[in-house]
Amino acid sequence: MSTRHESAHLHVSGRALYTDDISLPSNTLHAAFGLSSIAHGRIRTLNIGPVQSFPGVFAVASAADVPGENNYGSAVPDDPIFAPGLVEYVGAPIFAVAADQYITARKAAQLAQVDYEPLPAILDIRAALAANATVLPPQRLLRGRPHEMLAEAPHRLKGTVHVGGQDHLYLEGQIAIAVPQEDGAMLIHSSTQHPSEVQQIVAHALSKHANQITVQCRRMGGGFGGKETQPALIAAAAAVLAHKTGRPIKLRLDRDTDMVMTGKRHDFLADYEVGFDSSGRIMALSVMLASRCGYSADLSGPVNDRAMMHLDNAYFLENVEIVSHRCKTHTVSNTAFRGFGGPQGMVVIEQIVDSIARALGMDPLAVRRRNFYGTHARNVTPYGQIVEDNLVHLIVDRLVESSHYRERRRQIAEWNATEPPVRRGIALTPVKFGISFTATLFNQAGALIHVYTDGTVLLNHGGTEMGQGLFTKVAQVVATELGLPLAAIRVSATDTSKVPNTSATAASASSDLNGKAAQAAAQTIRERLTQFACEAYSVTATEVTFKDGQVFIGSQQMSFAELVQQAYRARISLSSTGYYRTPKIEYDKSTLRGRPFFYYAYGAAVSEVAVDTLTGETRLLRVDILHDAGRPLNAAIDLGQVEGGFLQGVGWLTSEELWWNERGELRTHAPSTYKIPTARDWPPQWRVELLEGRPNSEDTIYRSKAVGEPPLMLAISTLLAIRDAIASCGSARALPDLVAPATPEAVLRCIENINAGTIVYQAALVGEEAGL
Ligand code: MTE
Ligand code: MOS
């Protein structure tokens, strides 16, 4: 059902309330952080005197002011709220100051005198690998005999794939408001994907119990994974100041501070060796995967696990070894970002497949097809999960036809053969993305539904709204179950005092999880009402139906509200909780084996680009997408997720460059220097469709599929289309050494290299056919 977003009218008219818009008590103070200016070092002395004496300042809090645990790390407790004496990145919070005005707090925060004893800083992945600096132990995924098979393979290729990080650039920055309540309790308004974690971290920081802390979030202005763990820091710092002053504290990061001090997508590098036969079939693959985790673990464990488990993408890798290093650097601690490591893993294999095709002089699509998972055989992933409902063949076949891939590829080759300064390129890439939290325990959800005597419904569930349309979808489920118009359902702010112990709204699984939980709650209410109607009107349950706000009871008809009033008078409970846990999944994270995912979501995209070989600028000319959302809960919202996810991926792979200088200072800390895509970057020609007629083969809510993250990875087609255009500048079988993001500088560098003939297949080839 393609209804509009439940808040669309508020979004477009500016009346949607975000955390920054909440009316504040008149005694509220505004806070700002004081940050480390060096990448690594000890604080010899911290003089906050000038901060404290600045007019308008009420209080300063540093590590010594945290009554409980000075930590906001959840998976691993290695993230101090305030640096306890050691700073490990430029931007590490050292203290926070509360003042009567926001601007006062920000000015005062600059006045602290910090004397550091500098220590050597590790600033990139290679340096961390050399120093063996890690935040977590390495992981290894092995299947078959990759090393023996590499030796036997007729063709081998070695190379390195670089893929950059990404800032979330949610339009609404990080923010929290902490409001002290009676008897030591605290109310927190937080822009968070994970209210329960904020609740826990604040409780621990203040040395209070969970039942004293309430966290609310009506909506975020985007999260994209950046508000999974980071908001706990903001909320905890606000709570510490609120505790110290006894007054409400609002802590909002300005954009530059947000970009400097909060975690981002991990950049990765992969050194690989692949063995293949003359048909392009991959016989063996060995990959050393390393990522920049920053100074602490945060979510780097599961992010890197997911990278390993998506390095196969849609391809059957019979003999494979992936060794994953979680590198420690003295930069901001990287975190969740749409796709959660999956996109980085998939970029690696897609570049390898592309190189195999170029080395053999084949169409990359042919090499892709040669290696796709089968539908009956060759369908087990390296981690042991059977790919049960493989839609890759179907989707790719349909997309090849509908996009006219073959004809266009031919035309592009003809165009490029005339050696024009503006080259064109085309690529088709598939997506197979596993749905579920890899940590099995998080795959649970709760909901709470109240029916009032006027027949309206208030819905609450554990998920959070960040623009992705979750609240709309879950409301649709409740409306469907109770036979009510959508207008009868109101979704209230996510609130830890209504649904407890929730998981983060993440892993794209929130409509699967909360939709099912809300369905269970609605069904309980419907069953109670049905039973009441049976007794009151002497009918059987099959004679009671709920439809269009009406209830049909035998030959009678009444409004839902009328039945509800009768049930209320008869003392029937009109409130219910609902609970859901995902079936079938089981997974051992120490061995990386089992069935981590309930199912897979699929898709494919064809990108066509133009590359100006004189300036390195690129332009996306056309995209064709066919994406699998099962039987969509809301096709309009799902198409929005596909389009938005795709373009966010294009930004990641083509224009968004994070650049730290040799002192570890992030120099791209505002939209002036960090270029996200805009409406102008949407291609002039596009066709985005959802796969029809393929409901989820698993019993998800109305047989839908998760759609939040998978479309981001469709953008890999754009990167490879650029690579395709660049390849036309080189000799036959040349392998463009294109890094991501493919900024104009990177593209020009790659064109220069390829013209110099430095990177061609012959040079990279090892084995018996060397010199081919
Ligand atoms: N869409 C919008 N508009 N804003 C967002 O912040 N986050 C993405 C995706 N789509 C996001 C979004 C991420 S990272 C995830 S995990 C999912 O939405 C989370 O929501 P879901 O589980 O309801 O799909
Ligand atoms: Mo999404 S990265 O799982 O919040």
Side-chain angles (χ1 to χ4, degrees):
M1 204 182 10
S2 280
T3 59
R4 63 168 170 74
H5 192 284
E6 45 83 21
S7 291
H9 61 299
L10 303 177
H11 293 155
V12 298
S13 62
R15 286 177 295 138
L17 294 187
Y18 295 85
T19 301
D20 197 29
D21 303 317
I22 292 172
S23 310
L24 299 171
S26 57
N27 61 340
T28 302
L29 298 174
H30 300 266
F33 280 108
L35 307 178
S36 166
S37 60
I38 67 165
H40 189 201
R42 266 174 228 294
I43 299 173
R44 282 201 205 99
T45 54
L46 168 63
N47 177 11
I48 51 165
V51 184
Q52 264 164 333
S53 57
F54 193 75
V57 167
F58 280 73
V60 179
S62 60
D65 297 293
V66 181
E69 285 173 45
N70 180 25
N71 167 62
Y72 75 96
S74 68
V76 181
D78 61 353
D79 284 299
I81 299 165
F82 298 118
L86 182 74
V87 290
E88 295 200 89
Y89 74 104
V90 175
I94 299 175
F95 64 90
V97 48
D100 53 356
Q101 287 186 48
Y102 180 51
I103 191 69
T104 312
R106 283 181 63 188
K107 282 184 184 158
Q110 305 303 316
L111 302 176
Q113 291 160 352
V114 193
D115 180 27
Y116 301 99
E117 175 198 335
L119 297 169
I122 296 171
L123 296 176
D124 63 43
I125 298 175
R126 287 276 183 223
L129 284 173
N132 213 358
T134 55
V135 293
L136 290 164
Q139 278 277 20
R140 181 163 172 258
L141 184 58
L142 174 72
R143 172 166 65 185
R145 300 176 301 126
H147 296 286
E148 287 101 310
M149 293 306 289
L150 270 174
E152 285 174 29
H155 300 271
R156 277 186 278 158
L157 215 48
K158 273 186 178 177
T160 298
V161 176
H162 293 267
V163 50
Q166 186 176 24
D167 190 273
H168 303 86
L169 230 117
Y170 24 61
L171 292 182
E172 176 210 32
Q174 303 276 350
I175 180 167
I177 302 167
V179 189
Q181 309 288 299
E182 68 171 25
D183 207 12
M186 189 82 77
L187 170 66
I188 308 276
H189 300 284
S190 169
S191 178
T192 177
Q193 293 173 240
H194 203 345
S196 287
E197 185 168 296
V198 171
Q199 177 196 24
Q200 261 186 36
I201 297 287
V202 168
H204 292 164
L206 298 185
S207 208
K208 291 184 187 294
H209 299 295
N211 65 7
Q212 295 175 286
I213 311 296
T214 302
V215 179
Q216 292 180 358
C217 178
R218 174 59 183 82
R219 62 173 64 78
M220 284 159 274
F224 305 112
K227 292 176 181 167
E228 208 175 318
T229 59
Q230 313 297 291
L233 165 63
I234 317 300
V240 168
L241 278 168
H243 178 80
K244 187 168 177 176
T245 59
R247 291 170 60 159
I249 300 287
K250 179 169 175 174
L251 177 44
R252 172 165 72 82
L253 302 190
D254 64 282
R255 179 65 60 185
D256 300 76
T257 305
D258 192 309
M259 290 186 76
V260 165
M261 76 180 288
T262 68
K264 305 167 199 321
R265 185 189 290 286
H266 295 65
D267 46 326
F268 271 67
L269 66 80
D271 292 334
Y272 69 85
E273 183 166 9
V274 63
F276 49 100
D277 67 18
S278 304
S279 75
R281 179 185 284 220
I282 296 172
M283 296 171 64
L285 175 65
S286 170
V287 183
M288 189 287 296
L289 199 59
S291 73
R292 180 212 297 261
C293 299
Y295 77 92
S296 72
D298 187 78
L299 295 170
S300 292
V303 164
N304 283 274
D305 288 352
R306 191 171 274 267
M308 297 173 79
M309 289 189 288
H310 282 78
L311 201 133
D312 60 336
N313 192 14
Y315 310 109
F316 178 67
L317 303 173
E318 196 165 9
N319 299 287
V320 60
E321 177 186 46
I322 304 167
V323 179
S324 157
H325 298 283
R326 291 94 202 264
C327 299
K328 173 165 178 157
T329 50
H330 295 105
T331 49
V332 65
S333 188
N334 284 329
T335 192
F337 197 134
R338 206 172 195 170
F340 208 78
Q344 293 95 318
M346 282 161 62
V347 164
V348 173
I349 192 72
E350 289 300 338
Q351 296 234 32
I352 292 172
V353 167
D354 195 75
S355 289
I356 292 172
R358 296 191 188 282
L360 294 174
M362 291 172 67
D363 177 352
L365 177 60
V367 176
R368 291 200 161 84
R369 287 196 204 267
R370 175 83 63 224
N371 289 289
F372 279 160
Y373 278 110
T375 42
H376 298 292
R378 293 169 60 87
N379 63 349
V380 183
T381 64
Y383 47 90
Q385 175 158 353
I386 300 169
V387 181
E388 285 175 353
D389 184 18
N390 185 354
L391 298 178
V392 162
H393 301 267
L394 175 74
I395 289 176
V396 168
D397 288 349
R398 286 197 191 168
L399 188 66
V400 166
E401 292 307 317
S402 66
S403 69
H404 305 289
Y405 171 84
R406 284 194 205 85
E407 299 89 295
R408 286 165 60 203
R409 196 173 128 81
R410 209 176 308 119
Q411 287 159 8
I412 287 167
E414 284 166 16
W415 166 269
N416 287 340
T418 65
E419 304 195 351
V422 177
R423 299 296 171 107
R424 296 209 169 172
I426 190 168
L428 182 154
T429 57
V431 169
K432 165 182 135 286
F433 191 78
I435 302 299
S436 292
F437 289 95
T438 53
T440 305
L441 86 137
F442 294 144
N443 295 288
Q444 57 174 318
L448 174 66
I449 290 179
H450 300 323
V451 179
Y452 296 98
T453 50
D454 65 354
T456 63
V457 177
L458 189 68
L459 162 64
N460 200 279
H461 58 78
T464 57
E465 177 65 37
M466 56 193 108
Q468 86 278 36
L470 176 65
F471 280 20
T472 314
K473 290 179 174 181
V474 181
Q476 283 178 262
V477 169
V478 173
T480 306
E481 295 299 328
L482 297 178
L484 288 172
L486 198 51
I489 320 289
R490 197 164 161 268
V491 196
S492 63
T494 315
D495 186 329
T496 55
S497 67
K498 290 189 178 171
V499 177
N501 312 322
T502 54
S503 300
T505 301
S508 306
S510 314
S511 49
D512 289 16
L513 297 171
N514 296 289
K516 277 280 193 186
Q519 180 185 42
Q523 284 176 347
T524 301
I525 287 173
R526 194 181 65 199
E527 278 157 21
R528 283 189 207 140
L529 290 173
T530 302
Q531 200 186 344
F532 164 71
C534 290
E535 285 162 17
Y537 294 91
S538 305
V539 295
T540 59
T542 52
E543 294 172 85
V544 182
T545 50
F546 296 75
K547 198 170 175 281
D548 299 331
Q550 299 289 308
V551 188
F552 300 86
I553 307 170
S555 55
Q556 297 218 35
Q557 177 184 348
M558 65 183 74
S559 70
F560 182 78
E562 173 60 30
L563 180 67
V564 163
Q565 279 153 25
Q566 289 182 19
Y568 166 72
R569 277 184 230 115
R571 296 186 295 166
I572 306 294
S573 165
L574 294 169
S575 175
S576 174
T577 58
Y579 177 80
Y580 175 74
R581 63 166 172 263
T582 311
K584 292 191 177 179
I585 47 176
E586 47 148 353
Y587 173 64
D588 179 348
K589 73 174 182 183
S590 62
T591 60
L592 297 170
R593 284 236 152 39
R595 177 178 182 165
F597 306 119
F598 189 25
Y599 62 90
Y600 296 100
Y602 300 90
V606 178
S607 285
E608 181 178 341
V609 300
V611 175
D612 185 330
T613 57
L614 302 175
T615 64
E617 286 166 292
T618 64
R619 190 136 186 76
L620 181 57
L621 299 176
R622 172 169 168 179
V623 66
D624 295 67
I625 290 172
L626 185 57
H627 194 81
D628 158 37
R631 183 187 290 143
L633 282 176
N634 185 321
I637 284 175
D638 288 357
L639 282 169
Q641 286 291 294
V642 174
E643 292 171 6
F646 171 75
L647 199 62
Q648 191 168 39
V650 171
W652 167 48
L653 294 171
T654 64
S655 67
E656 299 180 35
E657 186 172 27
L658 292 165
W659 196 82
W660 284 266
N661 67 13
E662 67 291 346
R663 290 190 297 280
E665 297 165 339
L666 178 68
R667 301 312 297 158
T668 50
H669 53 75
S672 52
T673 44
Y674 183 81
K675 304 314 276 183
I676 61 165
T678 66
R680 242 190 97 248
D681 296 294
W682 188 251
Q685 292 189 66
W686 53 279
R687 193 205 251 145
V688 179
E689 282 174 9
L690 298 178
L691 180 68
E692 282 183 13
R694 295 304 296 239
N696 198 333
S697 62
E698 294 295 349
D699 178 20
T700 51
I701 185 75
Y702 306 147
R703 302 275 168 180
S704 62
K705 280 194 182 182
V707 73
E709 294 164 288
L712 181 126
M713 287 150 269
L714 298 168
I716 298 171
S717 60
T718 306
L719 179 71
L720 292 187
I722 295 171
R723 199 173 198 248
D724 186 50
I726 295 173
S728 78
C729 302
S731 51
R733 305 193 181 198
L735 303 183
D737 188 19
L738 182 63
V739 299
T743 58
E745 293 90 332
V747 168
L748 272 188
R749 220 177 294 129
C750 186
I751 291 172
E752 275 163 25
N753 286 343
I754 207 169
N755 281 336
T758 49
I759 305 145
V760 290
Y761 177 51
Q762 284 87 337
L765 181 75
V766 284
E768 56 186 72
E769 289 189 25
L772 177 140

